[in-house]
Amino acid sequence: MGAAVGPYDFAQARKDIVRALGRDTIVRIHRKSGWIDFFGIVGLYGLFALNVWFLGQNDRANPLWWVAFVLQGFVIMAFGYLLHDVCVHRRVGGRRFSYWLGVVSGILSFQPYSQYGHTHHDHHDYTGTDEDEAYKQDLDTRVRRFLYLTPIGYFLAFWRFLRRNFPPKWPAPEGSFGPVPNRWLIVRETAIILLAYVGIYLAWRTWKDPVQYGFLLPALLVLPIANTFRLILEHAETNEQNNFHCATYYRTGWLTRPLFFWDAGDCHLVHHVFPGIPWYRMGEACDTLRPYLVEQGVRERRSLWELTYGYFVKGYEHRTLWPTGPAPAPAEAVARS
């Protein structure tokens, strides 16, 4: 990642937090464990396989079947988070292992690993600019937002068929969005994904219920809804006037943290300031940084319903400070250093 462009000076935010909390604290929340990474990877793939088997029994009279069906949509989304944290940011297991893990995870999360890595680094470098994940800014009406809950709406938004014209507030430096590096890798990974989908189709012809109910239908019906909540809990509410408030500061807990693989709400805000914190230290990191961030005027949200209502019903603009909720601290407490 290069130098940040836009309203948030993450380098300064890191310095301020280190100065306030101490370097030892920051080192502690960055501590890595190869064993936890290993069991996290194996556990996620194991849970996916277990759900494929269980849902393949097609016992829809069992309430647990529906729980597993909804959970599988979030598990599929978690492969994107695994790709994000383990493969792109930390490259666990070395360059070669993390690359092929990213390729396989990309098959299950519908994106070439190298393409995602390139666009995600841009997301960090240009957080808060109109060049940053612009397709989310296109969702500027209630109709478009409800449409995004469906696979058709997700496709239309992601490929910018819902594009709107707006002047950029923070123009990117010339050349920063030039040719994608590693184009050959992206072509190769796309070919691997397409071949994998042919294999999934052939498997569906032989093992219809496990493939259909364990992967295809959760991906089509649950994943778009999960992705919409991810969108809300990442950057729906921000404050460009506060150097620490680059993401929705929703207070995640025992359920929302694992459902979003420790990368939504308060976890996502902390991740943008400290991208190297492992997913299994993120809960501790959020709890440690919360008093300081609240003191700096970051608006904490504790109601997922309130955020959902604000996004779909009130239609509050994406990536702005929403007009309702707990009042931020006085302006003098949030001034940049």
Side-chain angles (χ1 to χ4, degrees):
M1 291 178 289
V5 176
Y8 306 107
D9 186 346
F10 293 121
Q12 184 62 51
R14 282 190 288 273
K15 290 178 183 178
D16 292 342
I17 292 173
V18 170
R19 188 183 304 116
L21 302 183
R23 187 168 299 276
D24 290 345
T25 298
I26 304 306
V27 169
R28 187 183 75 245
I29 60 179
H30 278 82
R31 191 169 67 250
K32 299 175 177 61
S33 169
W35 283 111
I36 298 179
D37 277 317
F38 172 77
F39 285 114
I41 295 167
V42 172
L44 183 62
Y45 275 90
L47 179 59
F48 174 76
L50 179 64
N51 274 339
V52 169
W53 171 81
F54 181 73
L55 292 168
Q57 308 305 306
N58 197 15
D59 183 13
R60 283 176 282 180
N62 183 352
L64 288 179
W65 189 93
W66 291 100
V67 172
F69 183 82
V70 173
L71 176 63
Q72 190 73 327
F74 282 86
V75 170
I76 294 169
M77 181 175 66
F79 285 114
Y81 283 133
L82 183 75
L83 186 154
H84 160 261
D85 174 71
V86 172
C87 304
V88 170
H89 279 290
R90 297 192 293 119
R91 293 189 174 179
V92 170
R95 183 182 295 271
R96 185 176 295 275
F97 174 80
S98 63
Y99 172 77
W100 285 108
L101 177 64
V103 170
V104 175
S105 299
I107 293 170
L108 296 174
S109 57
F110 308 100
Q111 53 195 329
Y113 166 62
S114 296
Q115 176 71 47
Y116 171 78
H118 170 69
T119 57
H120 186 70
H121 284 309
D122 277 347
H123 169 56
H124 274 264
D125 291 344
Y126 301 98
T127 303
T129 71
D130 283 327
E131 291 81 7
D132 170 32
E133 296 185 319
Y135 75 95
K136 296 178 181 179
Q137 300 297 105
D138 296 339
L139 303 173
D140 56 353
T141 67
R142 294 180 183 86
V143 171
R144 291 182 177 192
R145 290 177 177 183
F146 278 104
L147 182 63
Y148 190 73
L149 291 167
T150 69
I152 293 174
Y154 179 84
F155 175 85
L156 292 175
F158 187 80
W159 293 106
R160 303 301 307 280
F161 288 104
L162 303 179
R163 183 174 187 143
R164 62 175 188 171
N165 294 320
F166 50 83
K169 300 179 189 176
W170 301 86
E174 184 176 356
S176 60
F177 283 87
V180 177
N182 302 322
R183 189 172 296 277
W184 163 244
L185 288 179
I186 295 173
V187 171
R188 182 176 71 176
E189 292 159 19
T190 302
I192 291 173
I193 289 174
L194 293 176
L195 287 174
Y197 291 163
V198 170
I200 290 171
Y201 170 74
L202 295 175
W204 175 75
R205 295 290 299 272
T206 305
W207 302 288
K208 185 173 182 178
D209 283 354
V211 176
Q212 180 169 286
Y213 294 109
F215 179 61
L216 297 179
L217 287 180
L220 286 172
L221 301 179
V222 181
L223 180 60
I225 297 173
N227 264 322
T228 301
F229 280 100
R230 176 186 66 85
L231 181 153
I232 296 171
L233 293 179
E234 288 185 356
H235 297 284
E237 183 182 39
T238 64
N239 183 0
E240 293 184 355
Q241 304 306 312
N242 188 319
N243 201 31
F244 298 94
H245 198 177
C246 66
T248 307
Y249 197 57
Y250 171 72
R251 187 169 186 172
T252 51
W254 64 272
L255 178 61
T256 46
R257 282 180 181 175
L259 272 181
F260 294 93
F261 207 76
W262 293 266
D263 192 38
D266 50 4
C267 300
H268 198 70
L269 188 152
V270 172
H271 168 73
H272 270 272
V273 181
F274 294 106
I277 296 178
W279 59 270
Y280 43 85
R281 304 286 184 212
M282 190 54 76
E284 178 188 1
C286 290
D287 296 340
T288 301
L289 269 62
R290 178 172 291 110
Y292 178 78
L293 294 174
V294 172
E295 180 185 331
Q296 300 308 307
V298 176
R299 176 182 283 172
E300 184 180 72
R301 298 282 185 175
R302 299 195 181 189
S303 171
L304 184 56
W305 163 250
E306 181 183 45
L307 289 170
T308 304
Y309 185 80
Y311 188 75
F312 286 107
V313 179
K314 290 293 187 179
Y316 294 143
E317 187 177 353
H318 183 71
R319 220 174 59 203
T320 61
L321 186 63
W322 292 5
T324 60
E332 58 268 19
V334 302
R336 297 185 193 179
S337 302

